[in-house]
Amino acid sequence: MSGLELIGALVSGLGTIASGVAANRAAQQDALNMEAQGKEEIAASQRDALTKRREAALVNSRAQAIAAASGGGAGEDAPTIVKLMSQTAGEGEYNAQSMLFGGKSRQQGMIQGAKSRRAEGKASLLGSVFGGFGTIAKGLAQ
């Protein structure tokens, strides 16, 4: 084997390893981005939940105002309006909790995706190291 062939084998092997290092770094960055996106999902779901609670409170406020204006009563002595307001508040809280659950679920998906991406990066790195050293060993053996 000529010196140029040996140099070619070394360069090829080192290039394979460098490729794996780059793939691993990219995978690690992807995983960080996925985790950040998961945090954003939680934050967005918290804002959505707050909106749902606020909407329910506004509906209740309006219902109470309409009941009072109608002369039908809007206090604790008016069981119909109290029942309606309780149902509205319950529905608002249910909607808020649904928003929070959805955000947490999406975050967990992002976390699992990040773990998988990290594992892919490590596998790429390991594969490239074996491939690179195999190429170098083959070049040396010839």
Side-chain angles (χ1 to χ4, degrees):
M1 171 180 242
S2 74
L4 288 178
E5 290 174 325
L6 179 59
I7 291 171
L10 286 171
V11 169
S12 177
L14 292 175
T16 301
I17 293 169
S19 173
V21 168
N24 184 45
R25 284 185 183 151
Q28 300 306 317
Q29 186 59 50
D30 287 348
L32 288 174
N33 293 342
M34 292 172 87
E35 289 170 342
Q37 187 176 353
K39 289 177 183 177
E40 290 170 9
E41 289 289 345
I42 286 290
S45 72
Q46 289 170 338
R47 287 188 303 273
D48 291 343
L50 183 62
T51 298
K52 294 299 180 186
R53 288 182 177 123
R54 189 177 299 128
E55 288 170 356
L58 289 172
V59 168
N60 274 342
S61 177
R62 179 163 165 71
Q64 189 173 23
I66 289 171
S70 72
E76 291 180 16
D77 60 337
T80 302
I81 192 65
V82 171
K83 181 179 176 185
L84 290 173
M85 289 174 67
S86 288
Q87 288 172 343
T88 301
E91 188 69 24
E93 185 58 26
Y94 174 81
N95 291 337
Q97 292 298 323
S98 293
M99 293 290 129
L100 293 172
F101 175 80
K104 187 68 174 172
S105 178
R106 289 187 298 276
Q107 181 192 36
Q108 288 302 314
M110 293 293 173
I111 289 170
Q112 290 304 315
K115 287 180 182 177
S116 295
R117 192 67 182 108
R118 282 192 176 94
E120 289 172 16
K122 289 177 185 175
S124 288
L125 177 60
L126 186 59
S128 72
V129 168
F130 286 137
F133 282 128
T135 301
I136 292 169
K138 183 178 175 184
L140 291 173
Q142 292 178 351

